[in-house]
Amino acid sequence: MTSDPFVFDLAHQTVRDLNAALHALPPGSNETLWRVENPRGLHAIAAGVDADAAIEIGGSVGYYCAGMNKRAAITVRGNAGVGVAENIMSGRVHIKGDTSQAAGATGCGGTLLIDGNASARCGISMKGVDIVVKGSVGHMSAFMAQAGTLTVLGDAGESLGDSIYEARLYVRGAVKSLGADCIEKEMRDEHRAQLFEKLSLAGLAGEVDVSEFRRYGSARTLYHFHIDNLGNY
Amino acid sequence: MTEKPAAPRTLPRHSATFDDYTLSEIRRAAATGIYDIRGGGAKRKVPHFDDLLFLGASISRYPLEGYREACGTNVVLGSRFAKKPIELKIPITIAGMSFGSLSANAKEALGRGASAMGTSTTTGDGGMTNEERGHSSLLVYQVLPSRYGMNPDDLRRADAIEVVVGQGAKPGGGGMLLGQKISERVAGMRTLPVGIDQRSACRHPDWTGPDDLEIKIEELREITDWQKPIYVKVGAARPYYDTALAVKSGADVVVIDGMQGGTAATQDVFIENVGIPTLPAVRQAVKALQDLGLHRKVQLIVSGGIRNGADVAKALALGADAVSIGTAALVAIGDNDPALEAEYQALGSTAGAYDDWQEGRDPAGITTQDPDLMARLDPVLAGRRLANYLAVLTLEAQTIARACGKSHVHNLEPEDLVALTIEAAAMAEVPLAGTNWIPGKNGGF
């Protein structure tokens, strides 16, 4: 038996009220189930949550939904604007629709699952988050990506992984072009196992064949400035 | 037979255009194939606060008695929107300098010195360390494009937040920390491999332009429950418009950094040729706040080349609420000390000119991650030196303010100032000394 959720209606209450209530949750609170109605594209919904709560948002959200999330499981039943789950630390953010630019930007941990497509710069400067996109990602995705994984079941736009550090990129579809210092790399057993694990996080275990993916990462030629690499700068 | 006298010859003449430094740079570039990287700010001479003078009291102005009649120095920052504005006892703050570019001992010294004087320090492009938080009673946490070490816990334990759009040494440029300084601890805080060259992004990853910035600031306020003052820092390039846009975006405080402001490391050509000096930047930023009716309501912090209490007083007289120091603070704790001359010479430099901070070999133990070099800096002693220096800056600013009849340093005003040069008069919009002429403003003498 599950308890009734706490319902927040943003047609009548404010984002400030919602976030204040979420931030005030004491450790071990039983108020673990939240539902947010009428989000109407408002910004910073459920930003800065640090609680073991499940938050379901019943529509599309604006910028920075679930920003810097810790521990919470946040589901958006719609599309998300710029910077959804930016700098996510832990927990899980699930977008049922599409996302705008910079989804999961600088994310340090946790999981971001996007059922639709993600626009440009998905996973930019990511620092440990695992991002799974069921659709395609736009240009400059994983730009300067430092750590974590970006898994794309569809296609990737131009300049994937430009100036990438140690993040791992798995793409099933076509890659329009690779950015500076990003190369295709051998898909070994350890990578197939990692990919399977990430797909499992997204509830896709067994539904997608890991052998259909290609792996991309850093050639590490830009790790130290060298005049012979001038053409890449 | 008498020898024919030699015909008179002119002395060897060096070119003003191709001076010794320029020739050495051409040779260096030809030998290495790479631009010169260094720390610090612009070294070229630019119009600055030295080109202004205070008029002081006279028959029509009534001075205050030194050491007896009070002259306030406190400043409140963040009163526009933040639930918890911060109050500094002196109008001089410590600018953002990262752990990584600076040693842990240097950061601790800055915290100790600033806290002793009741003012704030600022993190930098590398996140917040526990030592820094522990030794800084007031700590400003920077949100930079790289977002190294960024996390909501540190946002909440900061006393204020500074969104860094740019800095005066390199408006439009990102950060740079060469591999020599990426120790295990620094690498861990930045989620990067040890020993690689680290280039921080020049653009923020999740916003573009003032409309986005407004929403970004809203998010930061939501995460911190609207408690923290939020600063926006820009390098001086278009300060009138940047100040107006920062205000439009919801900033509590605007920080303007002139081209004399230092950096940990970037290209020399960038430092010397991009951005404008601090002097005109102050006046333009103040004008923007005045035009918006928000002067003193949105506070203005000015940095870039602040060296003494006269500079502090002049910046405040032009309309700033506070100043910020970086290079001067490092010198106060021991940077470029002549006592280390032999070691600077061994590095191919000399005390007072050492600026290869990116190499991590600083004999003063400040711009390094080398444990042996870092151990040379006693953070307690260095903190005391910084506190002394801040005290002198404050006393000097008070001395000038009292001489102008002001019971608070914020009561200094442009009418207290004149300029020594036409350039400074035009930039600061104060009259050329001995005249009532402000270039571009009126035609009289």
Side-chain angles (χ1 to χ4, degrees), chain B residues 58-206:
Chain B
S58 54
I59 293 175
S60 62
R61 300 289 189 277
Y62 201 72
L64 299 184
E65 191 65 42
Y67 300 109
R68 293 179 185 276
E69 291 181 290
C71 178
T73 61
N74 65 309
V75 55
V76 174
L77 300 170
S79 54
R80 185 187 188 195
F81 291 126
K83 287 182 185 172
K84 293 185 178 175
I86 63 174
E87 181 168 4
L88 312 181
K89 289 182 180 172
I90 60 173
I92 309 154
T93 72
I94 305 300
M97 290 174 276
S98 74
F99 169 69
S101 65
L102 297 190
S103 66
N105 283 6
K107 290 295 283 181
E108 180 180 333
L110 295 176
R112 285 178 179 275
S115 298
M117 288 300 295
T119 191
S120 60
T121 65
T122 311
T123 59
D125 199 359
M128 182 191 295
T129 67
N130 286 330
E131 300 99 306
E132 184 174 31
R133 177 64 278 189
H135 290 290
S136 298
S137 57
L138 292 169
L139 181 59
V140 182
Y141 185 42
Q142 288 191 326
V143 177
L144 291 124
S146 72
R147 309 284 166 87
Y148 292 136
M150 172 55 56
N151 68 83
D153 300 326
D154 286 344
L155 270 179
R156 293 184 180 113
R157 67 177 182 152
D159 298 291
I161 297 163
E162 181 171 281
V163 180
V164 180
V165 179
Q167 61 186 102
K170 47 184 177 181
M176 180 183 291
L177 197 64
L178 299 188
Q180 299 94 311
K181 293 173 80 170
I182 305 283
S183 66
E184 281 195 24
R185 186 180 181 199
V186 173
M189 286 180 66
R190 300 179 186 220
T191 324
L192 285 170
V194 175
I196 71 165
D197 293 348
Q198 171 257 295
R199 301 291 303 268
S200 301
C202 60
R203 299 184 300 270
H204 279 264
D206 56 354

